[in-house]
Amino acid sequence: MVALAIIRHNYPFSFAEHENNRLLHCYLNPDVKTICRNTAKSDVIKIYKREKENLKHDLKSITGRFCLTSDLWSSPNTDEYMVLTAHYVDEHWVLQKKVLSFCHVPPPRGGVILAERLLGLLKEWGIEKRVFTITLDNVSYNDTLVSHLKKHRSFGPCLPYGGEFFHVCCGAHILNLIVQDGLKVINEVVYNLRESVKYVRGSDHRKLRFAQCLSELPFLTSNKVRQDVPTRWNSTYLMIETCLKYRDAFSHLSRIDKYFLNCPSEEEWERVEKISRVLKPFYDITKLFSGTNYPTANLYFHCVWKIQLRIMEQLEDDDAIIRAMANEMKEKFDKYWEYYSPVLSFAVILDPRYKLQCVEFCYSKLYKQEAISTAANLRDTLYGIFEEYKNSTSDICNVVEVASSSGGVRGHYVRHDDFSSFETYTSQVIGSDSSKSQLDLYLEETRLDHRLHEDLNVMGYWKSHSNRFPELSLMARDILSIPITTVASESAFSIGGRILDKFRSSLLPQTAEALLCARDWLYGVLAVHDFEEESLVEDFGNLCLSQSSSFVDED
């Protein structure tokens, strides 16, 4: 129990020897034999090894493929660590995420060396022949890493569709680059907003004056003003949103306070409103990327499409500065879009609410005449991937039994083995009598109304249709589990930073890995409260109430 507490709460091993901790144990049981830090450490390693074997056993039973994310992190003492995370769908058709390794990577750290290290880890876990994709950020050595893996004779030939979709660029990094390029063009407007927020937070006297301006605004439900962190564009967006709410208050303050010099002009306020509309879909998808629950890949397509649509709209804007911003963003968007657009498109096609018609509709808004041919190319590629899945599935019955075994029991009547393979039999008969494939049948069926099925669990849909579409459901399961970002790996780094902080920087790499991986396997990566974000928000609510009260007293 002491070892589990150390793992879960990032306590030092000396926690086992803390006087009050021992007093507590003695209070509960006067005959207790307390343990030392070395025993606690030994217990942590035992737990790690036990859970690793359990996870290895579980991974062997997974019928689908594994999608990976990986990234490098530098500890406080500048040691580099590589985290490897596996994403997969378990036997209950639930998307899972497990950290497989948090290993020290000594120099040199070129792409080829990292590729060999990665391959060694995959072999250790026994999944090297069952990998589908790997999601990496856009550091140059990752291109070498991917190229080496695809050419490796024991790895490359096992990748689906010749490894064409093996490498997925981290969407969060790409979107960050796009937004940062756009914000550079409108830096002066953003600067004025930032300085305005700093000004009203600068002293108690200024806060009172601004609270007076806020209290005169009608229908105001919140009085929180947010400052941004310039290096985090999403916090800049939140600052812009709150400033727009208080536009009239800032303007009024500029009229009554001669020292307030950074209030945006009317033209700049109009520009800020347009900027906010452009950044809204970026912010929405960033929230999706950063969630503690890692969503299925079908949820990203619409967000990315809205981003592209907003950029295209701003290219026609009357404001030259907005057009310049849109041009910068489009140039960066076009550079990276080709790397992950097929994956997002495949995922939304395999969402029964949207299918191919959604891709055709969205592309028609962007590419006009080329929309049909672009969608047709995606369709042909999807059929090519499906043919691979169909040819590689040698024993459909076994797959269906695994998929249906977790389907639950309806009512009180259970069909036993005598009738269990009926659905498999009918699907095979239909397949033999018809020239249409499972993918044909799926695409031709009427779409589910997305308005009535807004909260559809897409994995649940494919689980319930795995008897009708045995190979197609396996393909859908793998594609929908592709992580579009390396956020899962970065979450592990936030825990790594608490394990290897400045007080424990000499911890052995093997011990650090045991602590981090065991925590992930036993408890998951818990959400970390961001106190820095709280410090950026100023709540003028109480001051506004006091101002309102003073007005009542005067009356």
Side-chain angles (χ1 to χ4, degrees):
M1 294 299 292
V2 171
L4 288 172
I6 289 170
I7 290 170
R8 186 168 194 170
H9 301 292
N10 301 320
Y11 294 148
F13 290 118
S14 59
F15 169 73
E17 300 175 352
H18 286 178
E19 184 176 353
N20 273 64
N21 181 42
R22 288 185 167 182
L23 285 173
L24 172 63
H25 293 166
C26 292
Y27 173 78
L28 295 171
N29 179 7
D31 299 324
V32 70
K33 293 182 180 180
T34 56
I35 64 172
C36 66
R37 68 181 71 195
N38 289 333
T39 302
K41 179 180 176 181
S42 176
D43 288 344
V44 165
I45 300 298
K46 286 176 185 176
I47 291 170
Y48 163 72
K49 289 180 178 178
R50 181 191 70 208
E51 293 303 319
K52 185 173 183 178
E53 288 306 310
N54 290 341
L55 183 56
K56 275 187 179 181
H57 179 267
D58 291 343
L59 296 186
K60 285 180 181 177
S61 66
I62 301 301
T63 55
R65 287 183 172 269
F66 295 89
C67 298
L68 310 173
T69 56
S70 185
D71 207 350
L72 290 181
W73 174 74
S74 183
S75 70
N77 62 357
T78 69
D79 285 338
E80 291 279 343
Y81 283 80
M82 179 172 70
V83 66
L84 176 64
T85 309
H87 305 253
Y88 59 93
V89 179
D90 65 17
E91 69 274 15
H92 302 294
W93 287 77
V94 176
L95 185 59
Q96 298 287 352
K97 182 262 336 164
K98 299 292 181 184
V99 174
L100 299 186
S101 178
F102 182 72
C103 60
H104 178 229
V105 184
R109 287 179 284 268
V112 174
I113 294 172
L114 291 175
E116 289 293 337
R117 187 65 178 269
L118 196 65
L119 189 56
L121 292 171
L122 296 175
K123 287 179 178 178
E124 180 186 348
W125 283 92
I127 62 172
E128 75 278 8
K129 297 188 184 301
R130 296 192 290 152
V131 172
F132 188 22
T133 65
I134 185 167
T135 305
L136 303 164
D137 63 22
N138 60 332
V139 180
S140 57
Y141 60 72
N142 280 333
D143 293 331
T144 307
L145 181 150
V146 169
S147 177
H148 184 77
L149 286 176
K150 288 170 70 172
K151 292 175 183 176
H152 202 286
R153 60 186 179 184
S154 68
F155 183 82
C158 302
L159 294 173
Y161 212 65
E164 184 173 337
F165 305 107
F166 172 57
H167 184 198
V168 179
C169 285
C170 175
H173 284 86
I174 293 170
L175 294 178
N176 185 57
L177 291 172
I178 293 170
V179 175
Q180 293 293 359
D181 271 26
L183 289 178
K184 286 176 186 174
V185 178
I186 55 167
N187 187 56
E188 185 177 344
V189 181
V190 174
Y191 173 81
N192 282 338
L193 285 181
R194 186 177 297 127
E195 291 302 309
S196 296
V197 174
K198 286 181 182 178
Y199 183 84
V200 298
R201 297 182 68 196
S203 69
D204 289 342
H205 177 70
R206 293 176 188 175
K207 288 177 184 179
L208 282 170
R209 278 206 164 185
F210 189 65
Q212 181 183 347
C213 297
L214 286 174
S215 63
E216 295 176 10
L217 296 179
F219 311 116
L220 199 61
T221 57
S222 172
N223 298 287
K224 293 181 179 179
V225 175
R226 179 182 290 269
Q227 191 174 321
D228 75 326
V229 178
T231 55
R232 298 185 196 170
W233 74 264
N234 52 327
S235 76
T236 300
Y237 166 77
L238 291 173
M239 179 186 72
I240 290 172
E241 282 287 279
T242 55
C243 286
L244 281 171
K245 285 188 210 174
Y246 312 131
R247 171 179 176 174
D248 292 339
F250 280 112
S251 297
H252 182 49
L253 182 65
S254 68
R255 290 191 291 270
I256 63 174
D257 186 345
K258 64 179 181 180
Y259 297 108
F260 179 35
L261 305 174
N262 288 104
C263 184
S265 63
E266 286 301 310
E267 182 184 10
E268 286 177 327
W269 279 118
E270 295 299 321
R271 193 172 293 149
V272 166
E273 283 195 4
K274 293 176 183 177
I275 293 164
S276 177
R277 286 197 296 271
V278 174
L279 294 183
K280 177 67 165 64
F282 282 93
Y283 179 71
D284 290 341
I285 196 171
T286 299
K287 282 206 302 183
L288 197 61
F289 285 157
S290 305
T292 53
N293 296 319
Y294 303 101
T296 47
N298 59 302
L299 300 178
Y300 295 111
F301 180 88
H302 302 91
C303 293
V304 175
W305 172 67
K306 287 178 184 176
I307 285 169
Q308 195 172 9
L309 200 61
R310 294 291 173 271
I311 292 173
M312 300 289 281
E313 289 172 356
Q314 300 308 317
L315 288 172
E316 308 297 325
D317 196 88
D318 296 334
D319 190 325
I321 293 178
I322 293 294
R323 288 200 306 273
M325 181 190 76
N327 268 311
E328 289 289 333
M329 298 174 84
K330 182 180 184 301
E331 185 177 332
K332 190 72 76 173
F333 187 96
D334 291 344
K335 179 180 177 182
Y336 289 107
W337 169 245
E338 61 180 299
Y339 288 106
Y340 65 106
S341 62
V343 169
L344 298 181
S345 301
F346 296 154
V348 82
I349 291 171
L350 292 169
D351 186 327
R353 297 167 296 180
Y354 301 107
K355 300 191 178 183
L356 192 63
Q357 294 94 322
C358 174
V359 175
E360 291 172 343
F361 167 77
C362 292
Y363 280 10
S364 68
K365 298 284 187 180
L366 299 171
Y367 304 125
K368 308 301 180 188
Q369 301 300 323
E370 299 173 8
I372 300 299
S373 61
T374 303
N377 289 336
L378 282 169
R379 184 180 184 276
D380 292 343
T381 305
L382 192 63
Y383 268 87
I385 298 173
F386 173 66
E387 284 300 314
E388 275 199 14
Y389 269 81
K390 192 167 66 172
N391 295 334
S392 63
T393 307
S394 57
D395 192 352
I396 300 174
C397 294
N398 287 341
V399 172
V400 172
E401 285 173 13
V402 170
S404 60
S405 63
S406 58
V409 179
R410 293 174 180 266
H412 300 285
Y413 175 66
V414 181
R415 296 186 187 275
H416 294 287
D417 292 341
D418 304 309
F419 210 69
S420 62
S421 58
F422 172 69
E423 293 291 346
T424 305
Y425 166 77
T426 54
S427 67
Q428 289 173 330
V429 170
I430 291 170
S432 62
D433 288 347
S434 172
S435 60
K436 292 183 178 180
S437 69
Q438 295 169 32
L439 186 52
D440 288 324
L441 294 172
Y442 164 74
L443 291 176
E444 290 173 6
E445 283 184 354
T446 304
R447 291 181 298 103
L448 301 179
D449 191 327
H450 67 276
R451 293 163 297 186
L452 300 177
H453 297 85
E454 186 177 351
D455 298 321
L456 175 73
N457 178 350
V458 70
M459 285 297 184
Y461 170 88
W462 284 107
K463 174 186 175 182
S464 64
H465 287 74
S466 59
N467 287 324
R468 292 185 59 223
F469 305 128
E471 295 99 340
L472 182 60
S473 64
L474 289 179
M475 184 182 81
R477 183 168 69 175
D478 290 344
I479 288 176
L480 291 167
S481 63
I482 296 174
I484 308 301
T485 75
T486 60
V487 165
S489 295
E490 291 168 6
S491 298
F493 295 152
S494 69
I495 303 303
R498 285 160 176 74
I499 293 172
L500 289 167
D501 61 17
K502 61 182 180 179
F503 301 109
R504 303 173 78 189
S505 57
S506 61
L507 208 62
L508 290 175
Q510 299 91 324
T511 308
E513 180 175 39
L515 287 165
L516 187 141
C517 291
R519 172 171 173 164
D520 179 75
W521 302 337
L522 291 167
Y523 308 112
V525 175
L526 306 179
V528 178
H529 195 64
D530 196 340
F531 294 101
E532 184 184 353
E533 285 293 320
E534 283 189 0
S535 67
L536 299 173
V537 179
E538 189 77 46
D539 192 345
F540 287 82
N542 292 331
L543 290 174
C544 289
L545 287 174
S546 65
Q547 291 293 321
S548 300
S549 300
S550 66
F551 294 153
V552 172
D553 293 341
E554 287 172 10
D555 292 341

